[in-house]
Amino acid sequence: MARYTNLSPTELAHIVAQYPIGTSLKLEEIPGGFGNSNFKLTTTDGEFLLKICDEKDSAELNMQISLLQHLRQHTYPTVYPILTKDQKFLTHETFGSVMLYPFLRGEEPLPSPNTLAQLGEALAKLHCIPPVAGLPRFAMGISQMRPFLQEVQGTEFATHPFVELLKSQLESLEPHLNASLPMGLLHGDLFLDNTLFEGEEMVAILDFEEGCYDTLLIDVGMTIIGCCYTSAHQLNLKAARRFLDAYNVVRPLTESEWKHLDCFVHYAALSIAFWRFRQFNIRRPDAHRANTYQEMITRSAQFKGTHVKV
């Protein structure tokens, strides 16, 4: 669960007073996620998602807001922030930046073929939307991995098994990642906990914090790694194929993309493993999460040699 910030009653009252949402009745922590402090806020006017953005600076958050406004113009199924009384999407407090959203009803789905078919269609539609100007490149990839490998030199992590694995994997993956492949607007972190379903029907794709402009196949690989495995990290091959089939109907993958798909599935797994290792061992040490990066290594190994082409 992402929970880095605590709110006092006074701080909460100050935040609520900035929005046209009545007065606060109840604040509940929301489990799930890794990069924000999330709360369900109940007021006299309804229910809301209160998000304290622990990991992003103002420039990054304003870019995220621009992206969401762009997606609204294309009627994309996500959740959009609520304006303050001063017509702002973002409030800055002493403990960090705050965004408020409507609280959508639904739940995280199971990795079923029907779920993945809907996600495949939704992701392909996202990839057909023109990117907004100024989007960054994929933030958990090589652009961050290379500096990280320099940073850990001379530290206790320099010879850590994961750091050694990261070096070797980058050497083998990088030539393939530099292939000329279609680029565009990415979600960047499409895991099941970033989706919302009501029964069998998709409600929304959530959390565009990692929205970026990069190789589209990163998102395809990320969705396979993040949405096509059981809680025991076993690949649901039928779900993966339904995902690719549905995606391919809306935006057909090129022959070159099919050729490089395996590589980008492994790259997606490595990028999440890297982020978790750095986050919970170095930036915000957390004994309970320090080894969560290994889940992605397990999934990547599970996928190796699998034939998913539809």
Side-chain angles (χ1 to χ4, degrees), residues 7 11 14-15 18-19 50-53 56-63 65 84 86 88-100:
L7 287 178
E11 289 169 333
H14 172 70
I15 292 171
Q18 297 182 61
Y19 292 90
L50 176 62
K51 185 183 292 285
I52 300 175
C53 309
K56 301 290 184 182
D57 61 28
S58 292
E60 291 171 317
L61 290 170
N62 284 323
M63 186 72 253
I65 289 167
T84 66
D86 294 333
K88 297 177 181 178
F89 287 111
L90 193 65
T91 66
H92 301 285
E93 309 297 337
T94 56
F95 48 80
S97 298
V98 174
M99 293 177 74
L100 190 72

Side-chain angles (χ1 to χ4, degrees), residues 209-266:
E209 281 90 346
E210 303 304 327
C212 58
Y213 175 81
D214 217 306
T215 304
L216 295 176
L217 212 52
I218 294 173
D219 251 3
V220 177
M222 186 71 71
T223 307
I224 290 174
I225 280 295
C227 302
C228 296
Y229 285 76
T230 68
S231 58
H233 308 295
Q234 297 297 306
L235 176 65
N236 184 333
L237 185 56
K238 186 175 180 181
R241 286 176 171 158
R242 283 289 299 277
F243 161 69
L244 290 169
D245 185 44
Y247 181 98
N248 207 51
V249 168
V250 178
R251 191 193 81 85
L253 294 171
T254 66
E255 282 300 317
S256 185
E257 285 178 307
W258 281 117
K259 177 182 176 182
H260 289 89
L261 178 59
D262 283 13
C263 168
F264 276 83
V265 171
H266 296 303

Side-chain angles (χ1 to χ4, degrees), residues 2 30-38 49-53 56 64-65 67-68 71 76-81 99 101-102 104 108 126 140 186-196 204-212 219 222:
I30 297 177
F34 287 97
N36 301 290
S37 301
N38 299 315
L49 170 64
L50 176 62
K51 185 183 292 285
I52 300 175
C53 309
K56 301 290 184 182
Q64 180 185 327
I65 289 167
L67 173 56
L68 289 172
L71 293 178
Y76 195 74
T78 187
V79 59
Y80 299 99
M99 293 177 74
Y101 298 83
L104 299 183
E108 178 184 329
L126 176 69
M140 293 180 283
L186 273 64
H187 179 279
D189 190 25
L190 191 49
F191 274 56
L192 285 176
D193 61 2
N194 281 335
T195 72
L196 196 63
I205 304 292
L206 306 174
D207 295 336
F208 275 84
E209 281 90 346
E210 303 304 327
C212 58
D219 251 3
M222 186 71 71

Side-chain angles (χ1 to χ4, degrees), residues 22 24-25 27 31 119 133 171 190 192 211 295:
S24 175
L25 296 176
L27 188 69
L119 293 183
E171 288 178 4
L190 191 49
L192 285 176
E295 297 171 355

Side-chain angles (χ1 to χ4, degrees), residues 87 129 150 198 222:
Q87 300 298 297
I129 296 175
Q150 294 296 320
E198 190 165 17
M222 186 71 71

